[in-house]
Amino acid sequence: MPDKRPATEGAMFLVPEPKKPRNQMVIENNKSRQIMESGPPRLSNMEAPIMLLTGHSGEVYTGKFHPEGSLLATGGHERLVYLWQVYGECENVSIMPGHTGAIVQLLFNKEGDTIFTASTDKTVGVFDTMTGQRVKRMKGHTSFVNSVDCARTGKPLVVSGGDDCQVKVWDRRRRQPVSSLNSTYQVTSVCFSEDSEQVISAGIDNDLKIWDLRKNAIVSTIGGHSDTVTGMSLSPDGAYVLTNSMDNTVRIFDVRPFCTGERCVKILTGHQHNFEKNLLHCAWSPDGAMVSAGSSDRSVYIWDTASRKIMYKLPGHLGSVNDVDFHSIEPIVMSVGSDKQIYLGEFEP
């Protein structure tokens, strides 16, 4: 068997061409090769600074990024969960059936392998992200389920709230809810505390209720809003809750167990709610420095949490903006609306 030729002998090495900055384009003519600036510098790895995702045939009520950032999920009036790619052409990669009513809220678990959905068909859905199959349907509510959240701690717990005035806590491994909490008024929004020992709920009575799951009782009631709370989000550090309300304010509440004094620490204004009475959601940026909220005036609002100033008012939608979410790694914000459209846009971090 002949010896192998040394790699250096007549071998070709491909030297990769250095990448040009994303804000430069090369202009060629007969005499010279010029590099010209083509707009402001790019801030993310998306195909374009603003991407429009179309495919829904009904209003889109909810949308969330996958924790790893390469996918996003949306749901709405059509009763289907859509899975999209964040990069490239932002193609729709999966459509998951399983509900017989509109999907009003969805979210990924911390690992990203499961999607939880709240629906007007009175159920909470559990979907496998990889297979696109519905793996569980949690039945127990007697009216529309408006909100759903899952534990951050890795516990297999899910909480839901609905128009039947019930806050239900579920263990994914069981059929029936592990606890049912009677809220007296219709519940429009729920979330877990950082350690999953407490649940925070809000509804048409305008107040935030903090429930202790060991006692199955309310340990704190927080006032502040003067109209229905439509969306709620726990801060990245777990110390604060962001709320969106029909009183046209977004508020930040301190929900730490031993907080004394005034719980409402920030009030943000500018966005709007209208006669449609949609459940408009809200979101924190991953570092907690910014918050965003849906608005019925067709704009996406982003505030600086420290100064309470509006940093961005992003146009584009032709209907109410129902949900917003920040990408976990890059400066990208997503918005979904009643115009059946999904926008991804870069912002200055």
Side-chain angles (χ1 to χ4, degrees):
M1 186 175 173
D3 291 332
K4 280 190 175 177
R5 185 183 70 200
T8 51
E9 213 174 287
M12 276 178 64
F13 291 100
L14 289 172
V15 180
E17 193 180 324
K19 283 189 175 179
K20 65 178 187 292
R22 293 178 64 84
N23 64 321
Q24 292 181 350
M25 60 182 177
V26 177
I27 308 291
E28 291 194 27
N29 58 30
N30 294 339
K31 293 179 183 175
S32 65
R33 196 166 183 268
Q34 292 174 284
I35 293 178
M36 290 182 64
E37 296 288 322
S38 59
R42 291 299 309 282
L43 302 163
S44 79
N45 289 303
M46 286 198 308
E47 191 94 336
I50 300 170
M51 296 293 287
L52 170 62
L53 287 63
T54 55
H56 278 277
S57 60
E59 295 183 29
V60 191
Y61 297 133
T62 178
K64 281 286 176 285
F65 282 114
H66 188 281
E68 289 175 357
S70 58
L71 296 170
L72 65 93
T74 56
H77 191 260
E78 301 152 280
R79 315 186 288 267
L80 302 167
V81 177
Y82 282 67
L83 210 57
W84 311 79
Q85 288 179 339
V86 172
Y87 301 112
E89 297 286 319
C90 294
E91 291 164 345
N92 173 229
V93 292
S94 178
I95 297 177
M96 310 178 197
H99 280 293
T100 57
I103 297 168
V104 289
Q105 192 175 17
L106 60 72
L107 79 157
F108 287 93
N109 66 342
K110 195 176 176 184
E111 294 75 33
D113 57 11
T114 306
I115 299 170
F116 299 101
T117 53
S119 172
T120 60
D121 64 8
K122 309 176 190 175
T123 68
V124 174
V126 184
F127 292 82
D128 187 302
T129 309
M130 295 301 292
T131 64
Q133 300 294 314
R134 192 194 75 211
V135 293
K136 197 174 182 70
R137 184 164 58 176
M138 299 172 175
K139 293 181 181 177
H141 283 282
T142 56
S143 188
F144 294 173
V145 184
N146 294 318
S147 185
V148 65
D149 191 29
C150 64
R152 284 185 179 180
T153 53
K155 295 178 184 175
L157 294 178
V158 179
V159 63
S160 59
D163 279 356
D164 56 0
C165 309
Q166 295 288 304
V167 175
K168 292 188 184 289
V169 180
W170 313 79
D171 186 321
R172 283 186 57 189
R173 300 164 297 189
R174 301 184 190 172
R175 285 179 69 94
Q176 300 300 321
V178 292
S179 56
S180 292
L181 313 169
N182 183 16
S183 180
T184 313
Y185 297 94
Q186 287 144 290
V187 181
T188 51
S189 198
V190 291
C191 74
F192 276 109
S193 64
E194 177 73 7
D195 59 5
S196 311
E197 300 288 334
Q198 294 180 326
V199 162
I200 305 150
S201 71
I204 64 166
D205 60 339
N206 317 337
D207 292 337
L208 271 66
K209 297 181 177 72
I210 301 178
W211 306 79
D212 189 313
L213 295 182
R214 288 163 295 194
K215 302 174 187 172
N216 278 358
I218 296 171
V219 292
S220 187
T221 300
I222 306 170
H225 282 296
S226 59
D227 207 340
T228 302
V229 176
T230 61
M232 186 189 294
S233 177
L234 187 68
S235 65
D237 62 5
Y240 302 93
V241 152
L242 178 72
T243 56
N244 191 356
S245 167
M246 288 183 187
D247 63 10
N248 296 335
T249 66
V250 169
R251 293 176 186 241
I252 298 174
F253 292 92
D254 190 330
V255 291
R256 288 174 292 190
F258 304 109
C259 170
T260 56
E262 181 57 51
R263 292 271 196 162
C264 179
V265 294
K266 294 275 169 71
I267 301 174
L268 311 168
T269 56
H271 75 306
Q272 293 173 21
H273 289 246
N274 65 5
F275 63 91
E276 289 178 274
K277 304 284 187 196
N278 281 2
L279 294 180
L280 307 182
H281 301 294
C282 49
W284 293 85
S285 65
D287 60 0
M290 293 184 290
V291 294
S292 182
S295 175
S296 63
D297 67 357
R298 307 186 289 191
S299 298
V300 178
Y301 286 80
I302 299 177
W303 291 267
D304 181 298
T305 48
S307 68
R308 291 178 284 188
K309 289 180 180 171
I310 295 172
M311 296 178 69
Y312 295 97
K313 181 183 174 185
L314 308 174
H317 281 283
L318 305 173
S320 171
V321 178
N322 298 320
D323 201 358
V324 287
D325 195 26
F326 287 93
H327 196 276
S328 59
I329 303 155
E330 297 202 276
I332 303 170
V333 67
M334 165 179 52
S335 57
V336 304
S338 296
D339 56 359
K340 313 173 189 176
Q341 295 180 341
I342 304 149
Y343 277 102
L344 301 180
E346 291 179 352
F347 61 89
E348 195 86 40

